[in-house]
Each structure stands twice: as C-alpha cells, then as structure tokens.
Amino acid sequence: MKKLRLLFFIGPLLGLQLCAIAQTTEWKEVEPGVWKTVVGKPGDYNLLTAAGAKPNQQALEKLGSAEFPLQKSEIEFRVENGKTYLRFPLKREEQLFGFGLNFQTVYQRGKILELHVDHYGGKDNGRTHAPVPFYVSSNGYGVFINSAEYIKVWAGTGVRKDSPNFPTPKDRNTDKKWSSRPYSDAVEMLVPAEGAEIYVFGGPTALDAVKRYNLMNGGGVLPPRWGLGFTQRVMTRSTEKDVETEVENFKQKGYPLDFIGLEPGWQSKAYPGTFSWDKNRFPNPPAFVKKMMDKGVRLNLWINPYVSPDAPFYKEILPYTASHTVWLGVIPDFTMPEARKPFFNQLKTDQVDIGVSGYKIDEVDGYDYYLWPDVAKFPSGHSAEQMRQTYGLLAMRYTVDLFKERNQRTYGLVRASNGGASALPYVLYNDYYNHEDFITALINSGFAGVLWTPEVRASKTAEEWLRRFQSNVFSPMAMINAWSTGTKPWTYPEVEKQVKEFALLRMKMMPYWYSEFAKYHFEGIPPFRAMNLEPGFKQELHGEGEKEVNLQENPYAEAVSKEIKDQYMAGENLLVAPMFTGQTSRKVVLPKGKWFDFYTGKFVGDGEVITVTPGLDVIPVFVKDGGIVPMMPPLLHSPKLGEKVNLEIRYYGTKPGTYQLYDDDGETFNYEKGAYSFRTISVTRKADKIIGNIAKSEKGKPNSFANITFTMMTK
C-alpha cells in the first residue's frame, strides 16, 4: 500500500516535469529568425496586445532566417503555485545588454532586477520608465518575455548545485581569486502569473537580434520631418501672448523652431485635468493654433490622463475608471472602448481637429505614492500591476490613432513605455538630470526599442549649458524643456554663438537624421545605439578560464573589456563622444577601421584608443572611412510639404562609400502605400578628387531635393 501511494504521489510530479521539458522543444518559428513558445496558461492581455504591435513581415523576410541560437535542452520552464519560472543558458564569455532603459550601466550581467514601470530613482534595479523584458547577448541573440507583470530577473547571479558548469569552490582564507559572486551559467526569471509567451530572436549578431525585435513590433518610429527639428517647451502658465512673443524672439534671433510645447497651464484645470483650453490664457484656440502653423510652428500639449470632476466628459467616463484616483482624478481604463471613447473624443474635437500636432504624456510611470497602488481594481478585470506596466503604451497607442485617422504623423513625449513600443512615435524623458547618465540612457535605449532625449532644462554654468545642448543635438529630440526655468537657447551670452551654431547644425543634418530614422522603421536599426552593436567594436571579457590578453601591449583590448557608456553611434556613420562639465579632454575608443573628424575631415585614428582635447566649441564626432553625411541648408523650420531644398553630400575618408538617402512627403502615412524612395549615393576617390553619384528620383516618387553637390571632407 505504501508503495502504491508513493507511485501515485510521484506520478503527477513526473508528468509536470515531462510537460515542462517538452515545452522547451515546442518552439515555433513565427517569423524568419524569430521563435515563440507558450509556457503554462498566460492571459490574453500582455505587452504586445497593449501596444497593438504588428510585425513588419516584409522586412523580417528580407532580413532572412537564422539558426535557433540556444541549446533547447538547456532552456527550462516550470509553472508552480501560480508563478512561472524561466531559465536560459548563459555561456562564460557572454555579456548581456538590455532589460530596459537603464541609466548607469550598459553591461547587465550580474544584475538582479525587478522590471517595474516607475519614475527613475537613481539605481539600475529594474524600476525605470521602460522596464522592457528584452535582453540581448553578445553571442548574437535576444530573448523577450511578453508579459505585463512585474518580472524578477537574476541575470547570471544564481548558481544551482546541479549545474554542469559548477565552479570550483575556493577558500577565502587562502585564495585571492575567491569571489563573492561566483560564475553563474543562467539567466533566471520569475513571472508572477500562470504562464507567459516567450520569444527568441536569432542573429548572427546582437544587432541582428535587435533589428528582429524592432521589426516584430512593426519597425521603429518614422517621425515627421518637423519632429527632428528643434523644440522649446514654455513655462507652465504661459499665455497665448507669451507663446507668440517666444516664437517671434526665435525668429528675430535666427534660431530654428519647429514646435512649441505647452505645459499644464493650457488646460482650464490640471492635476487632475479637464482636457479643455483655459479661455483666459487662450481665448481662441483654433485661431491661435492656425496662427502658429502659419508661422511654421506646431503645438504639442502636455497631458496626464487623470480626469477632473470638472472635465466635460467626467460623468460619462466615471463608470469605466479604476477604484483609486491619482491627485483625486479618476483613472480611465483604456483597455475598454467605453473609457477610450469619451477621453479621446475630447482630445480629437478640442485639440487634434483644430491642428494640434502632438502630446507630452506625463506621469504614467510612478512614484508609488501618487500612482495607483497594486491593490487598485480596474473595471476591465486587468490587474493594477498589468495596468501600471502598460498604461504608457495605451496612452501612446490611442493618441497616435487620432492622428492616423487624419493621415498625419505625430511625434511627442512620454514618461513610460515598455515592450512592443518600437513603432510608437514618442520619446521618453523624466525629472532626473544627470548629464552622464542621460547619455548612458540614450545608449541603452537602442537595446529596448524606445527613444530617449537628454533634454536641456537649466545649468549652473555656461559651460554646462553648452555641453548639454551639444549632446541634445545628437539625440532623437532636440529640446529645451523650460517649463519651470524659462531658459532660452540664448540664456547664457558667453556661449550663445556656439549654441546657435549647433541648433542650426541640427537643421543642416536633417537629411541624415531622416534617413537614419527610415532605416529604423524599415530595417529595425536603432538610430542611436551602443558601441557594442557596431561592427568592428569587439567586446572582450576577461576572467576565470578565459584567454589572457596582454593589456599593456593592446590598450584597445583593455578599453573594450570595460563598459563603454559615454560614447555612442548616431546613425550609420557617426560616432559621438560627449564632453561633460569640467572635462578638457577625454578618451575615445574607435572601432576597427579608419575614422575622421566630423567637422574638418582630418584623420584621427584606426581601431585604437585616442585622446581628444576639442575645446568648448565642439562635441567630438567622428565619421567612419567612406562615410557619407547628407546635409541641407540651415532652415529655421523643417521643409514644408512639397518644398525642395538643396543637398550637400559630404564624404569622408579614402575608401569607396555608399549611402541610402530616404525621402517621402515628411508628414503623412503615404509611405505605407509605397510613396517613398531610397536613393543610393555612391562616392569613390581618386587622388584628391571624388566621383559622386546619386540615383535619379523615380517617376511618381517623392523628391525633396533641388541642387545636389558633393564635398570631399578629407583632404
């Protein structure tokens, strides 16, 4: 009898174990180089459904297939007590990147994280504005957990006693190589739900995995041209007259300006909001919006989604809001059509239909003490935790729909994002203000399928102001956020000339920026990304059991073995190495190949570590050999629909170069119907002359360029 009971008890356990093992082999290739499996019984609400993400199948097919990058037998899943446990193998030489928008570190191996949407608190612990559960390996693959729960991650920290790679124990008393963090051979995760969808993205490179991830989410953002110009956010309670004066000052002083951001004071009440114009500050909104548009300046409006009792749709939306409030405003359940209809109809009729061009969606991230608690209830039945993880996604998705209905692109700001957001035209920002960490966040954004702006607000010195401004020009959104300070580009007279030059440089580079964002959309290549994704930048790890490298003989090997979090790639051809306050010189690690100074064309190095002393007037920027950078005249506003501009094609180096120049109408979604072009630019050099060629514009395709010239930058 005892023997029978034992078999009865063990049998179900064996069945569960076999079921878990079987799941590790049930990988379905859902797109070329992309595999999916389902563990347990996940719910029907997740990150991808919240974002409305749809694969760009044509682009994924063009990218081609790949080998499954992991040993399937080494992947383990189990569901136990309503929780899902995941384990992925990790080789000794691998480094990990990603896990969301981190601000202080690029290397993520050895981290313990809880991926939890929150206002950034100064620690890379998983609580951030975009805690994307996607990681990338230096071995050339990616893993994405499509779950809207708070996910705990042990990224190479736990050591199981049955590990086939169990490290040799060392005696701390006698062995100097003893470590409190011994080698771990796995990435382990805990999802507090009865199941999850898992995606694996093939390579063969880490960049290929990132590209596949972005294309699975629809491809990267393709902003309108004006979104890549310059923006100024005005003070909180600015009036119509204040804004008109601001716009006129920019014009008179010769500074570019494409859109103005209005902060909470545009609403009749804010915190919580009415989403209606304050008629004292803005007595005639339609006329005001038109007047600004006639001047070439668009308007972007601040909102957070918490509804005041004085909002015109309050009674209609009230039954479809959460049990708790934020600043005493009700929280719409945006997963329900009944909540979306009154909220977004208000935005449509009151703002979008009169010409407002976009939104800044604030406070959808955290702090815990003002956002809803995890005990809150939503009428859809989705948990407070799931809503916390996806509320930014929902707000972005449904505001974008308002503009898409008008065949009009938008570009805005948001405080929270997550997995699946690659195609949503929003740039993340926050209240943190460390310049160095802003650059690290910009680097990490390329691993997460999100965009980040190292915005400029205020500075203690003219030097800091200029250094911040220079970095901002080489980012997804060039913005001064003066909501509380009232600062202007010319606030610091000592550096006003340099600031103006960089503001105009942003406009001159628009053909380059626009082409790079097109590659983000059509190919999945992040326009701003880590050096670790650049070919020729080989990362090396040094540790137990690895090949020894003579670092004294090879300083490049030493440099790339360390975390590079203060330089990054901007588009296909540019390496940006920001300067920070107090610095007069800095080291730059150049990938293999020759590199040239962006401003002068002078040769600077070949796959080596260089030290630069640029002076205050420039931010160090370098161009790879054969690099091509298309430029236009420095207009004060982005080109209008149908406007043609002259094109200067700058060529650097000595080897032949090619570049894909993108063009469309700059404003609509007609590119989705084929109304766009990529024109191949090619340059070859013979002695001190270059032979440049650009493919003719196809008949019926957009052509935004008039006279075209070629400039040889390297003499």
Side-chain angles (χ1 to χ4, degrees):
M1 192 68 177
K2 289 181 180 179
K3 192 175 289 185
L4 285 173
R5 283 178 182 171
L6 183 62
L7 288 171
F8 183 78
F9 179 69
I10 291 175
L13 290 180
L14 288 172
L16 284 173
Q17 187 178 21
L18 289 171
C19 180
I21 293 171
Q23 288 183 57
T24 65
T25 60
E26 294 175 359
W27 290 96
K28 180 180 179 182
E29 190 170 9
V30 292
E31 300 291 345
V34 182
W35 294 266
K36 175 184 174 181
T37 193
V38 178
V39 181
K41 297 179 180 179
D44 58 2
Y45 186 70
N46 53 49
L47 297 177
L48 297 185
T49 56
K54 296 179 181 178
N56 185 334
Q57 293 177 323
Q58 184 177 0
L60 284 163
E61 289 172 5
K62 186 177 179 181
L63 191 56
S65 61
E67 296 292 327
F68 191 86
L70 295 167
Q71 194 71 26
K72 292 179 182 178
S73 61
E74 295 179 359
I75 303 172
E76 298 179 20
F77 306 138
R78 78 178 193 274
V79 179
E80 189 174 287
N81 297 325
K83 297 179 181 180
T84 301
Y85 298 80
L86 314 174
R87 179 181 173 89
F88 300 91
L90 185 61
K91 303 300 182 186
R92 186 178 295 276
E93 74 278 4
E94 284 184 80
Q95 185 52 265
L96 302 177
F97 310 95
F99 294 115
L101 189 70
N102 294 300
F103 283 72
Q104 295 181 329
T105 53
V106 174
Y107 292 175
Q108 302 305 317
R109 184 167 185 162
K111 291 286 195 67
I112 298 174
L113 310 165
E114 183 183 42
L115 303 181
H116 182 141
V117 166
D118 201 356
H119 179 79
Y120 183 69
K123 297 179 181 179
D124 281 359
N125 59 5
R127 296 181 73 114
T128 182
H129 301 280
V132 181
F134 173 62
Y135 73 87
V136 184
S137 165
S138 59
N139 279 10
Y141 67 88
V143 176
F144 174 59
I145 314 302
N146 183 27
S147 172
E149 277 75 28
Y150 304 151
I151 299 175
K152 290 187 177 180
V153 179
W154 293 265
T157 62
V159 183
R160 276 179 33 170
K161 65 182 182 181
D162 60 352
S163 167
N165 303 302
F166 194 82
T168 303
K170 293 180 170 58
D171 181 2
R172 186 178 182 182
N173 293 329
T174 59
D175 196 330
K176 292 182 179 180
K177 291 185 178 181
W178 180 91
S179 173
S180 62
R181 296 186 178 187
Y183 164 64
S184 166
D185 63 354
V187 175
E188 297 176 290
M189 303 188 196
L190 173 60
V191 182
E194 294 181 351
E197 289 184 355
I198 317 296
Y199 290 82
V200 168
F201 299 86
T205 70
L207 180 58
D208 289 322
V210 170
K211 288 158 64 175
R212 294 183 203 276
Y213 169 78
N214 288 328
L215 293 173
M216 267 296 293
N217 297 327
V221 173
L222 181 54
R225 274 198 181 92
W226 57 261
L228 299 178
F230 189 82
T231 179
Q232 175 87 4
R233 302 203 69 85
V234 297
M235 294 189 74
T236 296
R237 288 183 288 277
S238 294
T239 65
E240 179 177 314
K241 185 177 179 180
D242 294 332
V243 175
E244 290 177 358
T245 300
E246 190 104 324
V247 170
E248 185 62 25
N249 285 339
F250 268 76
K251 179 181 178 182
Q252 293 299 324
K253 291 179 178 291
Y255 283 82
L257 183 63
D258 267 300
F259 59 114
I260 283 275
L262 303 185
E263 291 294 303
W266 76 268
Q267 291 187 50
S268 58
K269 287 186 178 180
Y271 290 93
T274 59
F275 309 93
S276 300
W277 293 88
D278 184 296
K279 293 303 177 66
N280 292 317
R281 298 187 183 96
F282 300 92
N284 189 345
F288 170 63
V289 175
K290 183 178 184 303
K291 187 175 184 178
M292 290 295 99
M293 188 70 82
D294 290 343
K295 292 178 180 290
V297 177
R298 291 163 173 80
L299 294 178
N300 177 285
L301 304 184
W302 174 98
I303 60 172
N304 62 35
Y306 314 118
V307 183
S308 165
D310 293 317
F313 55 93
Y314 180 79
K315 290 183 179 179
E316 183 181 358
I317 204 171
L318 186 60
Y320 309 105
T321 59
S323 59
H324 290 63
T325 62
V326 174
W327 293 303
L328 306 182
V330 295
I331 310 163
D333 188 334
F334 285 148
T335 66
M336 303 180 71
E338 297 89 342
R340 295 197 298 269
K341 182 178 177 181
F343 186 94
F344 292 103
N345 274 356
Q346 172 68 15
L347 271 56
K348 177 181 185 299
T349 58
D350 193 58
Q351 298 126 50
V352 176
D353 284 353
I354 67 171
V356 166
S357 295
Y359 290 95
K360 171 184 175 181
I361 304 171
D362 207 0
E363 282 111 5
V364 284
D365 49 344
Y367 291 108
D368 284 346
Y369 60 74
Y370 71 61
L371 220 60
W372 60 88
D374 290 349
V375 297
K377 301 185 83 174
F378 284 78
S380 62
H382 299 312
S383 70
E385 178 178 332
Q386 291 174 319
M387 295 300 288
R388 175 79 169 256
Q389 295 290 78
T390 61
Y391 210 64
L393 295 175
L394 296 167
M396 287 189 283
R397 174 184 178 182
Y398 294 114
T399 51
V400 170
D401 284 352
L402 298 177
F403 294 96
K404 192 144 193 181
E405 289 171 6
R406 301 172 59 86
N407 193 24
Q408 174 185 336
R409 277 184 262 171
T410 186
Y411 199 47
L413 292 152
V414 72
R415 273 276 287 270
S417 187
N418 214 319
S422 302
L424 296 173
Y426 280 87
V427 182
L428 284 154
Y429 71 101
N430 68 6
D431 287 339
Y432 189 57
Y433 201 53
N434 182 287
H435 189 188
E436 291 92 333
D437 290 357
F438 270 20
I439 299 305
T440 303
L442 180 59
I443 291 167
N444 280 321
S445 67
F447 293 115
V450 299
L451 300 173
W452 165 261
T453 175
E455 65 180 51
V456 188
R457 296 176 216 154
S459 298
K460 295 178 181 178
T461 64
E463 178 195 5
E464 182 190 353
W465 181 255
L466 178 57
R467 289 309 191 195
R468 286 183 177 275
F469 195 91
Q470 290 168 340
S471 299
N472 193 231
V473 164
F474 289 87
S475 84
M477 184 179 285
M479 176 177 68
I480 292 179
N481 188 3
W483 70 273
S484 66
T485 62
T487 49
K488 313 288 190 291
W490 52 86
T491 290
Y492 295 82
E494 310 96 300
V495 294
E496 181 181 351
K497 177 177 178 290
Q498 296 97 317
V499 167
K500 186 174 182 179
E501 287 176 351
F502 274 93
L504 293 171
L505 176 62
R506 174 74 177 197
M507 303 304 291
K508 290 173 70 175
M509 294 181 68
M510 189 168 287
Y512 180 76
W513 298 131
Y514 200 52
S515 296
E516 294 307 316
F517 270 90
K519 293 168 192 173
Y520 188 31
H521 176 73
F522 289 101
E523 301 177 39
I525 304 171
F528 301 91
R529 58 193 181 275
M531 300 307 304
N532 309 84
L533 296 180
E534 175 65 13
F537 188 88
K538 178 171 170 46
Q539 173 194 299
E540 301 182 38
L541 296 176
H542 307 293
E544 181 184 359
E546 295 166 15
K547 183 180 178 181
E548 292 296 326
V549 176
N550 189 329
L551 300 180
Q552 290 183 339
E553 293 180 3
N554 187 355
Y556 177 83
E558 179 182 15
V560 297
S561 70
K562 297 176 181 177
E563 192 174 43
I564 304 297
K565 59 180 185 176
D566 61 354
Q567 65 178 68
Y568 58 94
M569 294 301 298
E572 179 180 341
N573 290 323
L574 302 183
L575 188 163
V576 182
M579 302 289 292
F580 305 107
T581 305
Q583 280 188 330
T584 56
S585 65
R586 62 157 294 165
K587 293 185 183 300
V588 181
V589 183
L590 300 174
K592 300 300 183 184
K594 295 178 180 178
W595 291 82
F596 300 84
D597 183 87
F598 170 70
Y599 308 96
T600 66
K602 181 181 177 181
F603 172 74
V604 296
D606 183 350
E608 59 191 285
V609 183
I610 62 173
T611 299
V612 295
T613 307
L616 190 59
D617 290 352
V618 299
I619 175 176
V621 181
F622 307 100
V623 189
K624 63 178 62 172
D625 195 6
I628 292 170
V629 182
M631 311 271 273
M632 74 177 202
L635 305 180
L636 297 187
H637 309 291
S638 60
K640 296 178 182 178
L641 187 66
E643 180 181 357
K644 289 180 181 287
V645 298
N646 293 334
L647 187 71
E648 178 195 8
I649 298 171
R650 294 188 177 182
Y651 161 81
Y652 295 78
T654 58
K655 64 186 273 189
T658 60
Y659 188 79
Q660 296 298 313
L661 176 71
Y662 179 76
D663 195 14
D664 64 16
D665 64 25
E667 294 189 11
T668 75
F669 288 94
N670 291 350
Y671 67 88
E672 294 184 344
K673 302 174 183 177
Y676 70 89
S677 66
F678 278 104
R679 298 169 65 183
T680 301
I681 299 171
S682 59
V683 180
T684 56
R685 177 170 178 161
K686 291 186 177 180
D688 291 333
K689 293 183 179 180
I690 59 172
I691 301 171
N693 182 66
I694 180 170
K696 292 182 178 180
S697 177
E698 295 181 44
K699 187 177 180 180
K701 296 286 189 179
N703 181 13
S704 303
F705 306 109
N707 298 323
I708 299 174
T709 59
F710 288 81
T711 301
M712 181 170 64
M713 294 299 294
T714 305
K715 305 300 183 184

